[in-house]
Amino acid sequence: MEYLSQLVVLQWIGTLFGVVQVLLARQNNIHNYLFGIIAILISIWVLYQSQLYADILLNMYYLVMSIYGWFYWKMGKQQQEAPISFSTRKEHGIAVGIVVGCFILMAYWLGQHTDSDVPYWDAVVCAFAWAGMWLMAKRKIENWVYLNISNIISIPLLIYKELYIYAGLTAFLFTVAISGYIKWKKIIDKKNSETYAGA
């Protein structure tokens, strides 16, 4: 009982940091990565205890992408802050490739080499989230779409695993991602209108 209560407390703490992270990301605030890294580290421990191994790898990937995204948002390719933008055709292709490749690898690994009872479900959540996080690090608006596909599939999975707090957080993240897409779209539209006005 004490062990379960510790997991619940950790879920609440991780959820708090996760909420702050996604709200800062929605506001296009670079400090979202600081809160995200703390939430990720907590999640890795909770997920390990719940045998959601693909989600552990996903969170380790999140950690790497968070560090990368932090630097990319700050410096970009030209040593200046990277702007929000739509994905190019090449970036769309890379994102789809990440989804397909990640799903195949995760489904095989989970199905053949772990005791996961939801290998395909876990793999598809992981695949879309990997692509979404890569797009987030690149400051591409489509990140919200990929992350929300992952979110909507993840909610029933977390409920099945009785991780109700994380399921609630994921439902919250789903709604924030919708508003995040809308807000980022307004930022792009405003930038484009200012560009046209200055031309």
Side-chain angles (χ1 to χ4, degrees), residues 103 106-108 110-112 116-125 153:
F103 175 78
M106 287 295 98
Y108 171 75
L110 290 167
Q112 301 297 318
S116 174
D117 58 341
V118 286
Y120 301 112
W121 203 352
D122 205 6
V124 74
V125 168
I153 299 169

Side-chain angles (χ1 to χ4, degrees), residues 16-85:
L16 177 62
F17 279 97
V19 167
V20 174
Q21 186 269 330
V22 76
L23 289 176
L24 288 174
R26 179 186 176 277
Q27 294 298 324
N28 193 31
N29 187 319
I30 192 171
H31 298 300
N32 80 84
Y33 285 111
L34 292 174
F35 289 89
I37 288 170
I38 296 172
I40 289 164
L41 294 174
I42 294 171
S43 293
I44 288 172
W45 174 251
V46 173
L47 293 167
Y48 175 76
Q49 301 303 319
S50 302
Q51 298 176 315
L52 287 174
Y53 304 116
D55 280 354
I56 293 171
L57 289 179
L58 174 60
N59 274 271
M60 292 174 72
Y61 171 75
Y62 278 172
L63 186 61
V64 173
M65 282 290 99
S66 292
I67 295 168
Y68 170 78
W70 194 357
F71 284 102
Y72 187 85
W73 279 36
K74 190 70 177 172
M75 304 301 291
K77 288 184 177 179
Q78 289 78 38
Q79 302 301 305
Q80 60 185 356
E81 187 170 319
I84 293 172
S85 62

Side-chain angles (χ1 to χ4, degrees), residues 44-188:
I44 288 172
W45 174 251
V46 173
L47 293 167
Y48 175 76
Q49 301 303 319
S50 302
Q51 298 176 315
L52 287 174
Y53 304 116
D55 280 354
I56 293 171
L57 289 179
L58 174 60
N59 274 271
M60 292 174 72
Y61 171 75
Y62 278 172
L63 186 61
V64 173
M65 282 290 99
S66 292
I67 295 168
Y68 170 78
W70 194 357
F71 284 102
Y72 187 85
W73 279 36
K74 190 70 177 172
M75 304 301 291
K77 288 184 177 179
Q78 289 78 38
Q79 302 301 305
Q80 60 185 356
E81 187 170 319
I84 293 172
S85 62
F86 287 101
S87 298
T88 63
R89 183 176 297 179
K90 178 181 178 181
E91 288 164 338
H92 276 298
I94 292 172
V96 171
I98 290 172
V99 171
V100 174
C102 180
F103 175 78
I104 292 171
L105 290 173
M106 287 295 98
Y108 171 75
W109 177 66
L110 290 167
Q112 301 297 318
H113 300 287
T114 76
D115 58 354
S116 174
D117 58 341
V118 286
Y120 301 112
W121 203 352
D122 205 6
V124 74
V125 168
C126 184
F128 278 99
W130 275 56
M133 193 64 184
W134 179 76
L135 289 167
M136 170 72 82
K138 290 288 188 179
R139 225 168 193 168
K140 301 298 179 180
I141 192 172
E142 292 85 0
N143 86 85
W144 298 111
V145 176
Y146 282 83
L147 290 175
N148 250 2
I149 293 172
S150 177
N151 286 336
I152 200 67
I153 299 169
S154 182
I155 293 169
L157 174 61
L158 291 167
I159 292 172
Y160 171 72
K161 285 292 185 176
E162 299 182 356
L163 297 174
Y164 303 117
I165 297 171
Y166 276 2
L169 170 63
T170 304
F172 171 76
L173 296 179
F174 180 83
T175 60
V176 172
I178 293 172
S179 66
Y181 182 93
I182 294 169
K183 184 171 183 65
W184 281 32
K185 179 68 163 55
K186 288 179 179 177
I187 292 172
I188 291 174

